[in-house]
Amino acid sequence: MNKKDFPIFKNNPNLVYLDSGATSQKPQSVIDRLKKYYEYENANVHRGIYELSENATQEYEKTRNIVKEFINANSEKEIIFTGGTTDSINFVAYSWLLRNVTKGDTVLSTQMEHHSNLVPWQQICKMRTDVNFDLIKVRDNFKLDLSDIQNKIKKFKPILFSFTHVSNVLGTINPVKKIIEIVKKHSPDTRILLDSAQGIPHLPVDVQDLGVDFVAFSGHKVYGPTGIGVLWAKEEILVKEMIPFRYGGGMIRVVNSDDSIWAEIPEKYEAGTPNIADAIGLGEALKYVSEVGYKKIIKHENEIKEYAYARLKEIPELTLFGPDILKNRQGVFSFDLEGVHSHDIAQILADEGVAVRAGHHCCQVLMKSVLDVQATTRASIGIYNDEDDIDKLIRALKKVIGIFK
Amino acid sequence: MSNQMYRQQMLDHYKNPRNEGEMDNPTHTSELENISCGDEIKVYLRVKDDKLSDIKFQGKGCAICLASASMTFEDIKGKTLDYISKLDISNVEKLIGIELSPSRKKCAHLGLLTVQNAINNK
Ligand SMILES: Cc1ncc(COP(=O)(O)O)c(C=O)c1O
C-alpha cells in the first residue's frame, strides 16, 4: 500500500525495507515540503517584521496546531517541539522530575523500555539521595505484568510512571488505558508519561481520552523528518510544575543582568532558534497520516503482520519473541535463529536487499533480564510494506539457514 | 557478497574454532567486547622468549568475529610479540580473504585487539 508515495523505493528498486521501527521512509509530500520551505520560505521565526519571517512563524505555529489536532490536545500551548523522543524525555527528566523529586520518592518504568525511557530516569534518581528507581516486570507472554504494576503503584505511590505505548523489540501493544486506570485507582497523584515513539506511527493517540500527563514521540518514525519530535504535557503541569532547563533566546520575556523573566508557554520551553523546517515537515507528515487515515493504516498493517507472523512461524529453527495474540502486537518481529548470530543474519539479509536491524535495539535490560539473549534480529513494518516484502524476507532467512546448516 | 563472506573456510572456523578453551597459568590474559553488538572474546597467552608460544580463547559472537579470531590466532601462534603488535585490521582482512564493511570490521578486529591488549597490559 502507498509504496508509490515513497520515492526511496523508486530510487532503490530492490530495497525490501523492514526497519521502520528504527526510522520510517518519507513520503514525497514531506520531502517536497522541506524543499519548498528552504527554497521559498526560509527565515527565522518570532523575530523579523518582514513578510518571510512572519510567514515562517505562521507556518511553524500552524504545525503546532496540526499536532494539537492530531493528538487531541486541549491547546496548542501544550505542544513543545523537541529534537525527538529522547530529547522530550530528557526534557521531562530535567525540567520536571529533577525539580519535583524528593527523598523517599519512587520513579517507575518497565523492563521493556528503550534506553531513552530508562536511562534518563535512572540517572536523575542517582542525582538525588534516597530516590528509588524500579522497573515493572515483563511476563513470559511478553506483556507487562499488570499485577506487578498494581502492587508497585500501591506500595510506592510513585511520583512518575513512564512506559512505552508499543515495545520496539517485542511489538507488544501495552493496554494503556487499563494501565492508567490501575495507576489512577491506587495513586491518583502519580504522573504518567507515555513513550509513543513506536505507537503513533501505527495507532491513534488521543491524549485527553488516555488521561496521561506527558506524551513523547519522534517525527522520523511517523514518516516525518529526523531531528524533530514532540513533547505534549498538560498545560497545568507545564505552567506550575516545570521550569526551563535550556536557557537562551526566544524563551525569555525580560532579561536583566541579575535575573530574567520567562516567556509564556510553549516558547518558554523552546530556547534558541527552533528546528523550523523539520517542524513544518512533521506537520506535513501528520497530514499525510491523516489523509491515509489510521483506519486504513491499521487494516493494512494488520494484514501484513498476520502474514509475516504465519510465515515466520513456519521456520522451525526460528524463535520468535513477542505476544502470540496478534491483536496485542504491532508489526515488529524480533527473532533468534538457532546457532546464527543476529549480525550474520542481518548481513546475509542485507545482501539479498532485505534491510532489518540486528543487536540489542537499545533495550539491554529487556535483552538481559527477560529474553536472556545478547541480540536479536528485528523486522518491523510500515505502511509501504506488502506480502512480497515478507516473502523476500522468508526466502533470505532460508538462505541463512542453508549457509549455516 | 555473503556467499564469499560465509564461505566454507570461515564457517569451518566458526563451527570448529581452533585453540578454543582455557589455559592454566597463562602469562597474559585479556577480555574485550564490542559494546554495540555484544561480541566478546577472552584470550589466554603463554609468552616465552618474546614469542607467543601458546594461545587459547573463549568467545561469544557472530561468525565474522569468531572465525576471524580463530584464523588470526592460528596465524600468530609462534610469532614474536613485535610482529603481533604491528598487525592491524588490514592483516586480518587479508588473512580471512574478505574485504569488510566498516561495521563488520569491528567484529573481525576484536580477536586481534584482545591479544594486543593482553600484551600491552603486561
Ligand atoms: C520505544 C522507543 N522509545 C524511544 C525511542 C527513541 O527515539 P529517538 O531516537 O527518535 O529519540 C525509540 C527509538 O528507537 C523507541 O523505539
Side-chain angles (χ1 to χ4, degrees):
Chain A
M1 188 177 88
N2 302 74
K3 222 168 200 164
K4 61 178 188 333
D5 296 344
F6 294 80
I8 194 108
F9 298 113
K10 196 175 77 210
N11 298 325
N12 299 273
N14 295 325
L15 175 64
V16 176
Y17 190 73
L18 290 169
D19 199 18
S20 294
T23 196
S24 64
Q25 297 299 342
K26 318 307 172 199
Q28 190 71 54
S29 61
V30 170
I31 299 166
D32 288 347
R33 188 67 193 90
L34 292 173
K35 188 157 180 277
K36 176 168 170 237
Y37 172 76
Y38 283 122
E39 286 182 351
Y40 294 93
E41 302 167 288
N42 178 56
N44 210 330
V45 292
H46 302 140
R47 297 201 190 150
I49 315 285
Y50 52 94
E51 202 185 329
L52 266 188
S53 173
E54 303 268 18
N55 181 59
T57 307
Q58 230 179 46
E59 288 299 315
Y60 181 70
E61 291 306 323
K62 238 198 256 169
T63 300
R64 219 187 283 282
N65 193 264
I66 293 172
V67 177
K68 175 216 156 207
E69 295 289 322
F70 196 84
I71 61 173
N72 191 31
N74 211 1
S75 133
E76 38 307 336
K77 287 189 274 184
E78 298 179 333
I79 309 298
I80 314 290
F81 288 118
T82 66
T85 308
T86 305
D87 197 30
S88 298
I89 291 174
N90 275 278
F91 175 35
V92 177
Y94 281 91
S95 282
W96 182 81
L97 183 62
L98 190 59
R99 174 187 157 87
N100 293 294
V101 74
T102 51
K103 223 173 156 159
D105 278 340
T106 292
V107 174
L108 206 53
S109 187
T110 85
Q111 285 181 328
M112 66 164 70
E113 299 309 314
H114 188 279
H115 294 159
S116 67
N117 195 23
L118 193 155
V119 183
W121 313 127
Q122 174 196 65
Q123 292 302 311
I124 295 284
C125 290
K126 284 179 69 171
M127 285 178 203
R128 293 282 187 257
T129 39
D130 290 334
V131 174
N132 175 31
F133 178 58
D134 211 330
L135 299 176
I136 297 298
K137 286 201 204 82
V138 174
R139 294 177 47 192
D140 292 345
N141 61 6
F142 306 104
K143 292 161 76 171
L144 286 179
D145 184 340
L146 296 184
S147 61
D148 195 36
I149 295 181
Q150 174 160 327
N151 294 341
K152 285 184 172 143
I153 292 284
K154 257 188 185 167
K155 179 169 167 206
F156 298 121
K157 308 254 187 279
I159 179 168
L160 175 74
F161 180 33
S162 188
F163 64 97
T164 192
H165 190 172
V166 172
S167 159
N168 64 312
V169 174
L170 306 170
T172 310
I173 302 172
N174 285 320
V176 179
K177 284 186 88 164
K178 201 190 241 166
I179 291 172
I180 290 170
E181 210 174 280
I182 296 172
V183 177
K184 294 284 177 211
K185 184 168 167 206
H186 299 286
S187 176
D189 292 335
T190 295
R191 296 290 186 209
I192 301 166
L193 186 150
L194 185 69
D195 170 358
S196 197
Q198 298 290 346
I200 211 160
H202 313 284
L203 301 164
V205 171
D206 179 329
V207 295
Q208 298 192 64
D209 180 50
L210 291 176
V212 281
D213 298 295
F214 304 98
V215 170
F217 68 91
S218 299
H220 70 99
K221 293 189 201 275
V222 57
Y223 309 108
T226 50
I228 187 80
V230 170
L231 173 70
W232 168 84
K234 276 192 189 143
E235 181 168 349
E236 149 199 4
I237 297 175
L238 287 169
V239 173
K240 294 195 187 137
E241 297 181 15
M242 294 171 83
I243 53 162
F245 94 106
R246 283 201 195 102
Y247 303 97
M251 52 79 66
I252 43 81
R253 186 158 67 217
V254 183
V255 176
N256 296 310
S257 54
D258 58 344
D259 205 357
S260 302
I261 302 170
W262 313 135
E264 297 298 319
I265 60 165
E267 281 78 27
K268 177 178 173 182
Y269 296 115
E270 292 182 0
T273 298
N275 187 351
I276 307 160
D278 294 318
I280 294 170
L282 170 61
E284 199 63 37
L286 298 183
K287 263 194 232 166
Y288 177 82
V289 171
S290 300
E291 273 160 25
V292 177
Y294 275 114
K295 212 171 141 192
K296 255 178 91 179
I297 294 176
I298 291 170
K299 181 167 179 288
H300 174 72
E301 290 188 351
N302 277 348
E303 281 167 19
I304 304 305
K305 168 179 84 180
E306 281 160 26
Y307 184 68
Y309 179 83
R311 295 295 317 266
L312 288 166
K313 280 284 187 188
E314 284 168 12
I315 302 178
E317 294 87 348
L318 187 143
T319 308
L320 193 56
F321 301 109
D324 286 313
I325 299 171
L326 290 186
K327 74 172 178 18
N328 296 328
R329 168 182 203 141
Q330 198 50 57
V332 175
F333 298 98
S334 280
F335 56 83
D336 204 22
L337 265 190
E338 219 176 279
V340 194
H341 191 280
S342 67
H343 268 183
D344 297 316
I345 301 171
Q347 175 86 56
I348 294 166
L349 262 47
D351 295 342
E352 300 293 306
V354 180
V356 296
R357 188 71 177 262
H360 55 58
H361 315 291
C362 299
C363 288
Q364 289 190 12
V365 171
L366 179 71
M367 295 281 148
K368 283 183 255 191
S369 315
V370 183
L371 306 184
D372 194 24
V373 291
Q374 273 191 321
T376 71
T377 310
R378 178 187 75 183
S380 53
I381 63 178
I383 56 176
Y384 28 68
N385 291 117
D386 50 28
E387 292 192 358
D388 190 44
D389 293 334
I390 305 302
D391 290 340
K392 286 181 177 141
L393 167 70
I394 300 295
R395 216 173 303 147
L397 284 172
K398 292 195 170 147
K399 186 162 178 194
V400 176
I401 293 166
I403 288 176
F404 278 86
K405 198 165 50 196
Chain B
M1 187 179 163
S2 48
N3 289 333
Q4 184 210 348
M5 195 139 156
Y6 295 95
R7 70 209 153 78
Q8 230 33 60
Q9 191 195 9
M10 287 282 303
L11 288 170
D12 180 44
H13 274 268
Y14 173 58
K15 289 175 188 164
N16 310 296
R18 321 295 194 263
N19 299 302
E20 197 187 27
E22 283 181 83
M23 185 191 288
D24 293 331
N25 309 316
T27 55
H28 304 62
T29 63
S30 170
E31 191 171 357
L32 288 184
E33 73 179 301
N34 278 334
I35 310 282
S36 65
C37 55
D39 289 342
E40 268 175 41
I41 291 206
K42 179 165 190 185
V43 296
Y44 308 82
L45 313 183
R46 180 159 299 123
V47 173
K48 227 171 119 187
D49 304 330
D50 264 342
K51 273 196 184 139
L52 180 63
S53 65
D54 197 11
I55 177 165
K56 285 270 184 286
F57 85 103
Q58 294 165 315
K60 271 199 287 197
C62 64
I64 300 295
C65 171
L66 296 180
S68 300
S70 171
M71 288 162 93
T72 304
F73 298 162
E74 203 175 41
D75 179 69
I76 62 178
K77 199 160 153 180
K79 301 272 168 47
T80 65
L81 297 193
D82 187 48
Y83 169 86
I84 295 168
S85 62
K86 287 194 180 114
L87 296 175
D88 62 23
I89 179 66
S90 64
N91 301 92
V92 179
E93 278 177 295
K94 245 179 259 160
L95 196 63
I96 62 179
I98 307 169
E99 236 179 89
L100 296 163
S101 65
S103 65
R104 303 313 297 282
K105 276 193 171 68
K106 275 196 222 149
C107 306
H109 203 177
L110 187 66
L112 176 62
L113 284 176
T114 312
V115 169
Q116 289 173 334
N117 190 51
I119 293 170
N120 290 337
N121 280 352
K122 199 69 183 211

